[in-house]
Amino acid sequence: MGDLVPEAATLQADATAEILPGHIVAVTLSKDGPFRELTCMLETHGTLGVVKFYLGKTETDAGETVFLLGQLNPPLVFAVPMASLLAMHRIVATVGEAPQLEEAPEDAKGILAAQIDLMSPFFCESEPTAPVGPDWRPVDLDALIRSTQTLEQANA
């Protein structure tokens, strides 16, 4: 996400907040479908979690809902069909200490402005989008508790 999201920043997502073009979102892609090869390269427990720039929602010629997501470094646009999304939640805060954009050197601000400008043709005017997969969580807490209990029993 270029300098828009500082490297090593910890982000907080809201699984209930509406999403508008220009918001930063946390996206979890299914390992099936058109992103299969990408997710297989970067797979973690069957899903791929990424942070992207939400550009809007549109439809294919066949009528399938597609979300346009962008990244800034390098500037790319992804057309992600609804069927490939396990979750899309709006990023609402940066948690902890992270460098502020105001502190960035002028050339970094210029590069960020150019990256965002390259995304501008892809912004879709659209109504607010509801989060996708509001009940999705990055960790299956029940499975984590079961595995912890199993380990504790094995060590006892």
Side-chain angles (χ1 to χ4, degrees):
M1 290 304 297
D3 288 327
L4 195 57
V5 176
E7 189 174 328
T10 301
L11 305 175
Q12 179 182 352
D14 184 342
T16 63
E18 289 185 320
I19 303 166
L20 290 169
H23 284 152
I24 297 173
V25 292
V27 176
T28 303
L29 300 170
S30 170
K31 68 176 183 175
D32 302 320
F35 288 91
R36 181 178 57 226
E37 290 188 29
L38 175 64
T39 56
C40 286
M41 288 187 323
L42 303 171
E43 184 175 1
T44 305
H45 304 295
T47 59
L48 174 65
V50 292
V51 176
K52 296 293 176 210
F53 200 47
Y54 181 70
L55 301 170
K57 179 171 55 173
T58 189
E59 285 188 2
T60 66
D61 287 342
E64 184 173 11
T65 299
V66 173
F67 296 96
L68 295 179
L69 304 173
Q71 69 180 39
L72 299 178
N73 188 16
L76 294 172
V77 175
F78 297 90
V80 181
M82 178 68 141
S84 292
L85 277 179
L86 296 178
M88 181 172 70
H89 302 157
R90 189 172 97 199
I91 299 296
V92 293
T94 301
V95 181
E97 294 296 318
Q100 298 300 312
L101 186 57
E102 298 83 36
E103 299 168 7
E106 286 304 313
D107 61 332
K109 291 178 188 176
I111 290 170
L112 178 59
Q115 291 167 332
I116 292 172
D117 185 55
L118 286 170
M119 293 292 114
S120 65
F122 302 99
F123 274 88
C124 298
E125 290 188 33
S126 64
E127 297 295 315
T129 298
V132 175
D135 296 327
W136 184 90
R137 296 295 179 261
V139 174
D140 180 349
L141 293 178
D142 293 332
L144 182 62
I145 290 168
R146 283 191 305 272
S147 65
T148 302
Q149 289 171 341
T150 302
L151 287 172
E152 287 173 352
Q153 291 170 354
N155 288 335

